[in-house]
Protein backbone atom coordinates (compact mmCIF):
# COMPACT_ATOMS: atom_id res chain seq x y z
CA UNK A 1 0.00 0.00 0.00
CA UNK A 2 1.25 3.47 -0.82
CA UNK A 3 0.79 5.91 2.05
CA UNK A 4 0.92 9.69 2.12
CA UNK A 5 4.34 11.24 2.68
CA UNK A 6 5.53 11.88 6.25
CA UNK A 7 4.11 15.11 7.62
CA UNK A 8 1.47 15.36 4.88
CA UNK A 9 -2.07 14.57 5.95
CA UNK A 10 -5.37 13.86 4.25
CA UNK A 11 -8.26 15.98 5.45
CA UNK A 12 -11.60 14.22 5.33
CA UNK A 13 -14.73 13.35 7.28
CA UNK A 14 -14.92 15.12 10.63
CA UNK A 15 -11.61 16.95 10.01
CA UNK A 16 -12.96 18.30 6.75
CA UNK A 17 -15.99 19.73 8.58
CA UNK A 18 -13.64 21.56 10.95
CA UNK A 19 -11.44 22.69 8.07
CA UNK A 20 -14.31 24.16 6.02
CA UNK A 21 -15.95 25.66 9.11
CA UNK A 22 -12.69 27.44 9.91
CA UNK A 23 -12.29 28.77 6.37
CA UNK A 24 -15.87 29.98 6.06
CA UNK A 25 -15.73 31.71 9.47
CA UNK A 26 -12.35 33.38 8.80
CA UNK A 27 -13.45 34.40 5.29
CA UNK A 28 -16.60 36.10 6.59
CA UNK A 29 -14.62 38.02 9.19
CA UNK A 30 -11.85 39.06 6.76
CA UNK A 31 -14.53 40.34 4.37
CA UNK A 32 -16.08 42.39 7.20
CA UNK A 33 -12.67 44.07 7.52
CA UNK A 34 -12.68 44.89 3.78
CA UNK A 35 -10.32 42.15 2.53
CA UNK A 36 -10.67 40.46 -0.89
CA UNK A 37 -9.66 36.96 -1.93
CA UNK A 38 -6.36 36.36 -3.72
CA UNK A 39 -4.98 33.06 -5.04
CA UNK A 40 -1.30 32.75 -5.92
CA UNK A 41 0.61 29.72 -7.28
CA UNK A 42 1.95 27.00 -5.00
CA UNK A 43 5.20 27.00 -6.96
CA UNK A 44 7.37 30.12 -7.26
CA UNK A 45 10.92 30.98 -8.19
CA UNK A 46 13.23 30.09 -5.32
CA UNK A 47 14.75 33.57 -5.48
CA UNK A 48 11.43 35.06 -4.29
CA UNK A 49 11.70 33.34 -0.92
CA UNK A 50 15.45 33.81 -0.62
CA UNK A 51 14.99 37.55 -0.99
CA UNK A 52 11.90 37.94 1.18
CA UNK A 53 11.85 35.31 3.93
CA UNK A 54 15.66 35.65 4.03
CA UNK A 55 18.67 33.43 3.27
CA UNK A 56 19.58 33.26 6.94
CA UNK A 57 16.14 32.08 8.07
CA UNK A 58 15.59 28.39 8.94
CA UNK A 59 12.79 28.28 6.37
CA UNK A 60 15.08 29.15 3.45
CA UNK A 61 18.23 27.59 4.90
CA UNK A 62 16.84 24.15 5.75
CA UNK A 63 13.18 23.71 5.01
CA UNK A 64 12.37 24.49 1.39
CA UNK A 65 11.01 21.96 -1.09
CA UNK A 66 13.33 23.25 -3.79
CA UNK A 67 14.12 21.66 -7.16
CA UNK A 68 15.11 22.39 -10.73
CA UNK A 69 12.13 21.92 -13.07
CA UNK A 70 12.21 20.52 -16.61
CA UNK A 71 12.91 24.01 -17.99
CA UNK A 72 15.98 24.35 -15.71
CA UNK A 73 14.20 26.87 -13.47
CA UNK A 74 15.12 26.90 -9.80
CA UNK A 75 11.67 26.68 -8.14
CA UNK A 76 10.20 25.80 -4.78
CA UNK A 77 6.88 24.98 -3.16
CA UNK A 78 5.81 28.01 -1.18
CA UNK A 79 6.78 27.78 2.49
CA UNK A 80 4.49 30.73 3.35
CA UNK A 81 2.01 33.06 1.65
CA UNK A 82 3.26 36.62 2.08
CA UNK A 83 6.05 36.54 -0.52
CA UNK A 84 3.73 35.34 -3.31
CA UNK A 85 1.10 37.97 -2.47
CA UNK A 86 3.74 40.73 -2.51
CA UNK A 87 5.06 39.43 -5.85
CA UNK A 88 1.51 39.46 -7.30
CA UNK A 89 0.90 42.97 -5.90
CA UNK A 90 4.01 44.27 -7.67
CA UNK A 91 3.46 42.23 -10.85
CA UNK A 92 -0.06 43.69 -11.20
CA UNK A 93 1.48 47.17 -10.71
CA UNK A 94 -0.72 47.89 -7.70
CA UNK A 95 2.29 49.49 -6.00
CA UNK A 96 2.22 52.12 -8.80
CA UNK A 97 -1.56 52.53 -8.60
CA UNK A 98 -1.27 53.73 -4.99
CA UNK A 99 -4.20 53.52 -2.57
CA UNK A 100 -5.04 50.71 -0.18
CA UNK A 101 -5.19 47.03 -1.21
CA UNK A 102 -6.29 44.33 1.19
CA UNK A 103 -6.12 40.60 0.41
CA UNK A 104 -6.87 37.32 2.16
CA UNK A 105 -5.89 33.80 1.08
CA UNK A 106 -5.84 30.23 2.27
CA UNK A 107 -4.00 27.21 1.03
CA UNK A 108 -1.24 24.67 1.45
CA UNK A 109 2.29 25.67 2.51
CA UNK A 110 5.32 23.36 2.52
CA UNK A 111 8.22 23.25 4.96
CA UNK A 112 10.63 20.33 5.24
CA UNK A 113 10.65 20.36 9.04
CA UNK A 114 10.95 17.41 11.41
CA UNK A 115 7.33 16.27 11.71
CA UNK A 116 5.80 16.10 15.17
CA UNK A 117 2.43 16.87 16.74
CA UNK A 118 1.30 20.21 15.29
CA UNK A 119 4.28 20.41 12.93
CA UNK A 120 3.62 19.23 9.39
CA UNK A 121 5.51 19.34 6.10
CA UNK A 122 2.35 20.27 4.23
CA UNK A 123 0.06 22.47 6.28
CA UNK A 124 -2.58 25.07 5.55
CA UNK A 125 -2.64 28.74 6.40
CA UNK A 126 -5.31 31.40 6.34
CA UNK A 127 -3.61 34.75 5.89
CA UNK A 128 -4.24 38.41 5.13
CA UNK A 129 -1.97 41.10 3.70
CA UNK A 130 -2.75 44.83 3.73
CA UNK A 131 -0.84 47.27 1.50
CA UNK A 132 -0.73 51.05 1.60
CA UNK A 133 -1.65 51.90 5.19
CA UNK A 134 1.14 53.59 7.10
CA UNK A 135 -0.64 53.63 10.45
CA UNK A 136 -0.35 51.47 13.52
CA UNK A 137 -4.17 51.43 13.58
CA UNK A 138 -3.96 48.93 10.71
CA UNK A 139 -1.61 46.75 12.81
CA UNK A 140 -4.16 46.86 15.62
CA UNK A 141 -6.93 45.99 13.20
CA UNK A 142 -4.98 42.86 12.10
CA UNK A 143 -4.73 41.77 15.72
CA UNK A 144 -8.43 42.49 16.28
CA UNK A 145 -9.27 40.37 13.23
CA UNK A 146 -7.33 37.35 14.54
CA UNK A 147 -8.95 37.84 17.93
CA UNK A 148 -12.44 38.01 16.32
CA UNK A 149 -11.78 34.80 14.37
CA UNK A 150 -10.50 32.95 17.43
CA UNK A 151 -13.36 34.14 19.64
CA UNK A 152 -15.97 33.16 17.05
CA UNK A 153 -14.45 29.67 16.95
CA UNK A 154 -14.39 29.40 20.75
CA UNK A 155 -10.57 29.32 20.91
CA UNK A 156 -8.72 30.85 23.86
CA UNK A 157 -5.33 32.46 23.26
CA UNK A 158 -2.44 34.47 24.63
CA UNK A 159 -1.26 37.35 22.46
CA UNK A 160 2.45 38.23 22.47
CA UNK A 161 3.64 41.57 21.13
CA UNK A 162 6.98 43.10 20.26
CA UNK A 163 8.40 45.84 18.07
CA UNK A 164 11.33 45.06 15.78
CA UNK A 165 12.13 48.72 15.14
CA UNK A 166 12.88 50.41 11.84
CA UNK A 167 15.87 51.33 9.67
CA UNK A 168 16.75 54.09 12.14
CA UNK A 169 16.78 52.14 15.42
CA UNK A 170 17.46 48.53 14.33
CA UNK A 171 21.08 48.93 13.01
CA UNK A 172 22.54 50.51 16.18
CA UNK A 173 20.65 47.97 18.29
CA UNK A 174 22.03 45.13 16.17
CA UNK A 175 25.58 46.34 16.89
CA UNK A 176 24.90 46.38 20.64
CA UNK A 177 23.45 42.87 20.48
CA UNK A 178 26.36 41.51 18.41
CA UNK A 179 28.78 42.89 20.98
CA UNK A 180 26.82 41.23 23.79
CA UNK A 181 26.55 37.86 22.03
CA UNK A 182 30.22 37.82 21.03
CA UNK A 183 31.09 38.11 24.69
CA UNK A 184 29.07 34.92 25.30
CA UNK A 185 30.56 32.94 22.40
CA UNK A 186 32.23 30.25 24.52
CA UNK A 187 28.91 29.36 26.13
CA UNK A 188 26.34 29.50 23.31
CA UNK A 189 25.16 26.88 20.80
CA UNK A 190 26.48 26.39 17.25
CA UNK A 191 23.31 27.88 15.74
CA UNK A 192 23.71 31.09 17.74
CA UNK A 193 27.40 31.39 16.79
CA UNK A 194 26.33 31.20 13.13
CA UNK A 195 23.49 33.65 13.67
CA UNK A 196 25.78 36.35 15.08
CA UNK A 197 27.08 36.87 11.54
CA UNK A 198 23.93 36.10 9.54
CA UNK A 199 20.96 37.39 11.54
CA UNK A 200 21.90 38.31 15.11
CA UNK A 201 18.43 39.11 16.43
CA UNK A 202 17.37 35.49 15.79
CA UNK A 203 19.59 34.45 18.72
CA UNK A 204 16.91 35.90 21.00
CA UNK A 205 14.44 33.12 20.20
CA UNK A 206 16.98 30.29 20.38
CA UNK A 207 15.26 27.23 21.88
CA UNK A 208 18.41 26.13 23.74
CA UNK A 209 17.84 26.58 27.49
CA UNK A 210 21.40 27.60 28.39
CA UNK A 211 21.51 30.21 25.60
CA UNK A 212 18.19 31.58 26.84
CA UNK A 213 19.61 31.92 30.37
CA UNK A 214 22.51 33.97 29.03
CA UNK A 215 20.30 36.18 26.88
CA UNK A 216 18.20 37.28 29.85
CA UNK A 217 20.87 39.96 30.26
CA UNK A 218 20.95 40.91 26.54
CA UNK A 219 20.04 44.45 25.50
CA UNK A 220 16.35 44.60 24.51
CA UNK A 221 15.27 46.19 21.25
CA UNK A 222 12.16 47.56 22.95
CA UNK A 223 14.44 49.66 25.19
CA UNK A 224 16.38 50.92 22.14
CA UNK A 225 13.54 51.99 19.82
CA UNK A 226 13.59 55.41 18.15
CA UNK A 227 10.88 57.80 19.27
CA UNK A 228 8.65 57.06 16.22
CA UNK A 229 8.69 53.29 16.83
CA UNK A 230 8.25 53.83 20.55
CA UNK A 231 5.18 56.04 20.04
CA UNK A 232 3.68 53.54 17.59
CA UNK A 233 4.17 50.70 20.05
CA UNK A 234 2.52 52.72 22.84
CA UNK A 235 -0.39 53.60 20.51
CA UNK A 236 -0.79 49.95 19.51
CA UNK A 237 -1.01 48.87 23.14
CA UNK A 238 -3.53 51.65 23.87
CA UNK A 239 -5.78 50.64 20.94
CA UNK A 240 -5.73 47.02 22.08
CA UNK A 241 -6.56 48.04 25.65
CA UNK A 242 -9.44 50.24 24.42
CA UNK A 243 -10.82 47.24 22.56
CA UNK A 244 -10.51 44.77 25.42
CA UNK A 245 -7.69 42.72 23.87
CA UNK A 246 -5.21 41.44 26.42
CA UNK A 247 -1.54 41.11 25.46
CA UNK A 248 1.86 40.26 26.89
CA UNK A 249 4.96 42.11 25.71
CA UNK A 250 7.62 39.53 24.74
CA UNK A 251 10.92 41.27 24.04
CA UNK A 252 12.33 38.00 22.62
CA UNK A 253 9.62 37.64 19.96
CA UNK A 254 11.58 38.11 16.72
CA UNK A 255 9.60 35.83 14.32
CA UNK A 256 11.30 33.35 12.00
CA UNK A 257 11.05 35.40 8.81
CA UNK A 258 13.38 38.27 8.00
CA UNK A 259 10.98 40.74 6.41
CA UNK A 260 9.44 42.25 9.54
CA UNK A 261 9.94 45.73 10.95
CA UNK A 262 8.09 47.51 13.79
CA UNK A 263 5.05 45.51 15.00
CA UNK A 264 5.49 41.74 15.43
CA UNK A 265 2.89 39.53 17.10
CA UNK A 266 2.08 35.93 17.78
CA UNK A 267 -1.04 34.23 19.14
CA UNK A 268 -0.28 31.12 21.19
CA UNK A 269 -2.49 28.43 22.69
CA UNK A 270 -1.70 26.60 25.93
CA UNK A 271 -3.82 23.63 24.87
CA UNK A 272 -2.00 22.07 21.89
CA UNK A 273 1.44 21.10 23.16
CA UNK A 274 4.85 22.45 22.22
CA UNK A 275 3.92 23.74 18.73
CA UNK A 276 1.79 26.40 20.36
CA UNK A 277 1.85 29.26 17.81
CA UNK A 278 -1.59 29.42 16.18
CA UNK A 279 -1.12 32.71 14.31
CA UNK A 280 1.66 35.16 13.65
CA UNK A 281 2.30 38.33 11.75
CA UNK A 282 3.48 41.88 11.74
CA UNK A 283 4.48 44.88 9.70
CA UNK A 284 6.84 44.56 6.72
CA UNK A 285 7.25 48.07 5.32
CA UNK A 286 10.47 47.34 3.42
CA UNK A 287 9.50 44.16 1.59
CA UNK A 288 7.68 45.61 -1.45
CA UNK A 289 10.68 47.82 -2.24
CA UNK A 290 13.05 44.94 -1.57
CA UNK A 291 11.25 42.90 -4.23
CA UNK A 292 11.65 45.82 -6.71
CA UNK A 293 8.28 47.51 -6.13
CA UNK A 294 7.62 51.10 -5.09
CA UNK A 295 8.05 51.58 -1.33
CA UNK A 296 4.69 50.57 0.19
CA UNK A 297 3.84 50.09 3.84
CA UNK A 298 2.36 46.67 4.55
CA UNK A 299 1.19 44.47 7.40
CA UNK A 300 -0.39 41.02 7.67
CA UNK A 301 -0.71 37.73 9.50
CA UNK A 302 -1.25 34.03 8.91
CA UNK A 303 -3.00 31.38 11.00
CA UNK A 304 -2.11 27.67 11.01
CA UNK A 305 -5.32 25.84 10.16
CA UNK A 306 -4.32 22.31 11.31
CA UNK A 307 -3.31 23.61 14.74
CA UNK A 308 -6.60 25.51 15.03
CA UNK A 309 -8.71 22.55 13.92
CA UNK A 310 -7.84 20.80 17.18
CA UNK A 311 -9.17 23.72 19.18
CA UNK A 312 -12.34 24.74 17.35
CA UNK A 313 -15.58 24.38 19.29
CA UNK A 314 -17.92 23.18 16.54
CA UNK A 315 -21.53 24.41 16.56
CA UNK A 316 -24.14 21.67 16.92
CA UNK A 317 -24.91 20.27 13.49
CA UNK A 318 -28.58 20.46 12.58
CA UNK A 319 -30.33 17.71 10.62
CA UNK A 320 -30.60 18.94 7.08
CA UNK A 321 -32.07 17.83 3.74
CA UNK A 322 -33.79 14.72 2.43
CA UNK A 323 -33.20 11.03 2.02
CA UNK A 324 -35.33 9.56 -0.76
CA UNK A 325 -35.87 5.83 -0.96
CA UNK A 326 -37.78 3.54 -3.33
CA UNK A 327 -39.63 0.44 -2.18
CA UNK A 328 -39.30 -1.34 -5.53
CA UNK A 329 -37.48 -1.09 -8.86
CA UNK A 330 -40.36 0.65 -10.61
CA UNK A 331 -40.41 3.45 -8.04
CA UNK A 332 -36.66 3.99 -8.33
CA UNK A 333 -36.81 5.91 -11.62
CA UNK A 334 -39.40 8.28 -10.18
CA UNK A 335 -37.34 8.67 -6.98
CA UNK A 336 -34.28 9.65 -9.07
CA UNK A 337 -36.35 12.22 -10.99
CA UNK A 338 -37.77 13.76 -7.81
CA UNK A 339 -34.31 13.91 -6.23
CA UNK A 340 -32.94 15.70 -9.30
CA UNK A 341 -35.69 18.36 -9.10
CA UNK A 342 -35.39 18.79 -5.35
CA UNK A 343 -31.59 19.34 -5.62
CA UNK A 344 -32.35 22.77 -7.12
CA UNK A 345 -32.63 23.95 -3.55
CA UNK A 346 -31.92 21.14 -1.08
CA UNK A 347 -29.44 18.48 -0.06
CA UNK A 348 -30.92 15.20 -1.30
CA UNK A 349 -29.41 11.76 -0.76
CA UNK A 350 -30.80 8.81 -2.60
CA UNK A 351 -30.37 5.12 -1.94
CA UNK A 352 -30.45 3.12 -5.16
CA UNK A 353 -31.12 -0.12 -3.37
CA UNK A 354 -34.79 -0.85 -2.98
CA UNK A 355 -35.60 -1.70 0.65
CA UNK A 356 -38.52 -2.01 2.99
CA UNK A 357 -39.65 1.03 4.95
CA UNK A 358 -37.88 0.06 8.17
CA UNK A 359 -34.49 -0.28 6.46
CA UNK A 360 -34.92 2.99 4.56
CA UNK A 361 -35.69 4.78 7.83
CA UNK A 362 -32.59 3.25 9.45
CA UNK A 363 -30.43 4.37 6.52
CA UNK A 364 -31.91 7.90 6.60
CA UNK A 365 -31.19 8.19 10.33
CA UNK A 366 -27.51 7.42 9.72
CA UNK A 367 -27.25 10.22 7.16
CA UNK A 368 -28.41 12.85 9.65
CA UNK A 369 -31.04 14.25 7.25
CA UNK A 370 -34.22 15.97 8.41
CA UNK A 371 -36.71 14.09 6.20
CA UNK A 372 -37.04 10.55 4.94
CA UNK A 373 -39.25 10.38 1.83
CA UNK A 374 -40.39 7.06 0.38
CA UNK A 375 -42.06 6.05 -2.84
CA UNK A 376 -43.66 2.63 -3.34
CA UNK A 377 -46.24 1.20 -5.68
CA UNK A 378 -49.19 2.81 -3.80
CA UNK A 379 -47.59 6.23 -3.96
CA UNK A 380 -46.80 5.72 -7.69
CA UNK A 381 -50.47 4.94 -8.31
CA UNK A 382 -51.74 7.95 -6.32
CA UNK A 383 -49.05 10.43 -7.44
CA UNK A 384 -47.97 10.90 -3.80
CA UNK A 385 -44.87 10.54 -1.61
CA UNK A 386 -44.67 9.47 2.03
CA UNK A 387 -42.56 11.81 4.20
CA UNK A 388 -41.37 11.44 7.78
CA UNK A 389 -39.84 14.37 9.67
CA UNK A 390 -37.00 12.70 11.56
CA UNK A 391 -36.79 15.51 14.10
CA UNK A 392 -40.37 15.76 15.36
CA UNK A 393 -41.27 12.24 14.08
CA UNK A 394 -44.44 13.44 12.26
CA UNK A 395 -45.47 11.60 9.10
CA UNK A 396 -47.56 12.74 6.13
CA UNK A 397 -48.43 11.74 2.60
CA UNK A 398 -48.03 14.61 0.12
CA UNK A 399 -49.04 15.05 -3.50
CA UNK A 400 -45.83 14.93 -5.56
CA UNK A 401 -46.38 18.50 -6.78
CA UNK A 402 -46.49 19.71 -3.16
CA UNK A 403 -43.24 17.94 -2.20
P1 LIG B 1 4.58 31.89 10.39
O1 LIG B 1 4.64 32.30 11.82
O2 LIG B 1 5.76 31.24 9.81
O3 LIG B 1 4.21 33.20 9.57
O4 LIG B 1 3.34 30.92 10.16
C1 LIG B 1 2.04 31.28 10.58
C2 LIG B 1 1.37 30.10 11.27
O5 LIG B 1 1.42 28.94 10.43
C3 LIG B 1 2.04 29.66 12.55
O6 LIG B 1 1.64 30.47 13.64
C4 LIG B 1 1.52 28.23 12.69
O7 LIG B 1 0.23 28.23 13.26
C5 LIG B 1 1.42 27.77 11.25
N1 LIG B 1 2.56 26.91 10.90
C6 LIG B 1 3.82 27.29 10.57
N2 LIG B 1 4.59 26.22 10.31
C7 LIG B 1 3.82 25.13 10.48
C8 LIG B 1 4.04 23.71 10.34
N3 LIG B 1 5.21 23.21 9.97
N4 LIG B 1 3.00 22.87 10.60
C9 LIG B 1 1.79 23.36 10.97
N5 LIG B 1 1.52 24.68 11.09
C10 LIG B 1 2.51 25.56 10.86
C11 LIG B 1 4.09 33.25 8.23
O8 LIG B 1 4.03 32.29 7.50
C12 LIG B 1 3.94 34.67 7.71
N6 LIG B 1 3.80 34.61 6.25
C13 LIG B 1 2.76 35.37 8.36
C14 LIG B 1 2.53 36.77 7.85
C15 LIG B 1 1.64 37.16 6.93
N7 LIG B 1 3.19 37.84 8.22
C16 LIG B 1 2.77 38.90 7.54
N8 LIG B 1 1.80 38.49 6.74
Amino acid sequence: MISSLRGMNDILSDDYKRFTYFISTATKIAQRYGFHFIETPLLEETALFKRSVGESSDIVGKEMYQFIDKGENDVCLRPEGTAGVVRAFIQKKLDRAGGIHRFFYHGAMFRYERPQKGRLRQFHQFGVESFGVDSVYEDASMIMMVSDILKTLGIGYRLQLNSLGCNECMPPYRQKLIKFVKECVGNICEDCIRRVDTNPIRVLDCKNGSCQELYVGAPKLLHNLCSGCNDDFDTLKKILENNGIEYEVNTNLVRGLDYYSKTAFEFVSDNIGSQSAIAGGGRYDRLVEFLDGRPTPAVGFAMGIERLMELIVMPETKKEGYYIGAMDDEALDLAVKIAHQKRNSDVVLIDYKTKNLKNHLKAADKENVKYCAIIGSNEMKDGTIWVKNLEDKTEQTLLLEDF
Side-chain angles (χ1 to χ4, degrees):
M1 189 191 72
I2 299 173
S3 303
S4 65
L5 296 174
R6 239 183 121 217
M8 301 200 175
N9 289 346
D10 304 305
I11 302 173
L12 68 162
S13 308
D14 211 38
D15 283 345
Y16 186 65
K17 283 188 195 147
R18 291 172 170 271
F19 187 81
T20 49
Y21 178 59
F22 173 81
I23 291 186
S24 63
T25 304
T27 296
K28 260 185 244 150
I29 292 173
Q31 286 170 334
R32 283 184 208 148
Y33 278 77
F35 284 71
H36 301 281
F37 186 67
I38 183 169
E39 177 78 41
T40 63
L42 266 66
L43 205 58
E44 299 267 7
E45 268 188 49
T46 301
L48 174 66
F49 300 107
K50 284 194 173 165
R51 274 168 69 182
S52 53
V53 177
E55 301 239 27
S56 66
S57 67
D58 285 349
I59 294 179
V60 170
K62 309 184 198 163
E63 298 168 2
M64 297 232 281
Y65 277 87
Q66 182 184 354
F67 59 97
I68 306 293
D69 74 5
K70 290 184 175 143
E72 301 288 305
N73 304 298
D74 187 350
V75 294
C76 84
L77 285 169
R78 63 183 183 192
E80 59 99 57
T82 309
V85 175
V86 173
R87 189 223 10 90
F89 174 78
I90 299 167
Q91 195 170 332
K92 287 274 181 251
K93 300 192 170 43
L94 299 176
D95 54 330
R96 286 155 194 272
I100 297 168
H101 303 269
R102 295 187 172 104
F103 301 104
F104 72 91
Y105 53 89
H106 45 81
M109 308 292 158
F110 302 84
R111 296 184 192 174
Y112 196 85
E113 294 191 76
R114 200 164 44 78
Q116 64 174 84
K117 186 175 176 298
R119 189 159 72 194
L120 295 164
R121 289 182 171 167
Q122 176 178 327
F123 59 99
H124 294 78
Q125 285 186 343
F126 180 93
V128 318
E129 312 295 348
S130 159
F131 297 95
V133 187
D134 185 17
S135 159
V136 75
Y137 278 85
E138 189 75 351
D139 309 27
S141 136
M142 298 288 126
I143 291 172
M144 288 192 253
M145 199 191 314
V146 181
S147 164
D148 285 356
I149 294 171
L150 294 176
K151 279 192 183 144
T152 308
L153 297 169
I155 299 174
Y157 64 78
R158 279 187 297 115
L159 163 63
Q160 306 203 325
L161 278 189
N162 196 13
S163 172
L164 299 177
C166 64
N167 269 341
E168 190 184 323
C169 48
M170 177 48 107
Y173 168 73
R174 190 181 287 119
Q175 290 314 316
K176 275 194 199 175
L177 185 64
I178 290 173
K179 186 164 173 281
F180 174 88
V181 179
K182 282 197 165 155
E183 280 161 18
C184 308
V185 152
N187 303 310
I188 57 177
C189 71
E190 292 283 306
D191 276 347
C192 283
I193 293 174
R194 189 173 41 81
R195 284 177 187 136
V196 179
D197 297 317
T198 54
N199 191 355
I201 65 159
R202 284 299 314 279
V203 303
L204 296 175
D205 78 345
C206 175
K207 302 292 176 277
N208 185 313
S210 52
C211 293
Q212 272 308 331
E213 271 171 37
L214 281 172
Y215 302 150
V216 170
K220 307 278 181 266
L221 177 53
L222 262 192
H223 304 150
N224 288 274
L225 293 177
C226 61
S227 61
C229 287
N230 215 5
D231 290 351
D232 274 355
F233 197 61
D234 284 343
T235 309
L236 176 65
K237 290 188 288 185
K238 205 177 73 216
I239 305 168
L240 296 179
E241 282 155 24
N242 285 343
N243 286 278
I245 295 182
E246 287 179 25
Y247 60 83
E248 301 157 10
V249 173
N250 177 356
T251 48
N252 287 348
L253 177 72
V254 296
R255 310 272 301 126
L257 310 97
D258 288 357
Y259 46 63
Y260 294 109
S261 52
K262 298 187 181 169
T263 306
F265 59 87
E266 230 161 63
F267 285 75
V268 294
S269 164
D270 294 328
N271 301 316
I272 50 168
S274 66
Q275 299 305 307
S276 59
I278 49 179
R283 185 160 275 282
Y284 52 94
D285 288 343
R286 295 187 295 251
L287 184 57
V288 176
E289 189 181 4
F290 205 65
L291 291 176
D292 304 324
R294 291 218 174 132
T296 308
V299 56
F301 68 79
M303 310 177 80
I305 302 182
E306 280 83 354
R307 290 184 191 174
L308 292 163
M309 273 159 59
E310 274 195 48
L311 300 166
I312 293 174
V313 180
M314 289 291 282
E316 248 182 64
T317 46
K318 283 198 289 185
K319 285 184 186 294
E320 186 197 4
Y322 293 80
Y323 167 102
I324 298 186
M327 305 274 279
D328 52 47
D329 288 343
E330 267 180 44
L332 182 60
D333 280 338
L334 182 58
V336 169
K337 194 166 171 197
I338 295 168
H340 186 214
Q341 286 163 356
K342 198 93 189 134
R343 283 185 181 131
N344 279 335
S345 53
D346 291 287
V347 172
V348 182
L349 307 175
I350 182 158
D351 193 328
Y352 302 116
K353 284 200 189 105
T354 56
K355 296 183 191 159
N356 65 27
L357 181 62
K358 199 170 139 218
N359 286 338
H360 272 312
L361 281 167
K362 243 197 218 163
D365 245 350
K366 273 199 201 144
E367 298 290 1
N368 210 29
V369 289
K370 187 166 176 192
Y371 299 100
C372 176
I374 305 293
I375 302 184
S377 50
N378 285 346
E379 286 77 14
M380 292 257 300
K381 206 162 44 177
D382 302 343
T384 57
I385 187 163
W386 179 86
V387 184
K388 178 167 182 178
N389 181 324
L390 300 174
E391 262 174 7
D392 65 15
K393 311 291 178 208
T394 54
E395 297 169 16
Q396 53 183 332
T397 301
L398 295 174
L399 284 172
L400 277 177
E401 57 261 35
D402 296 335
F403 177 62

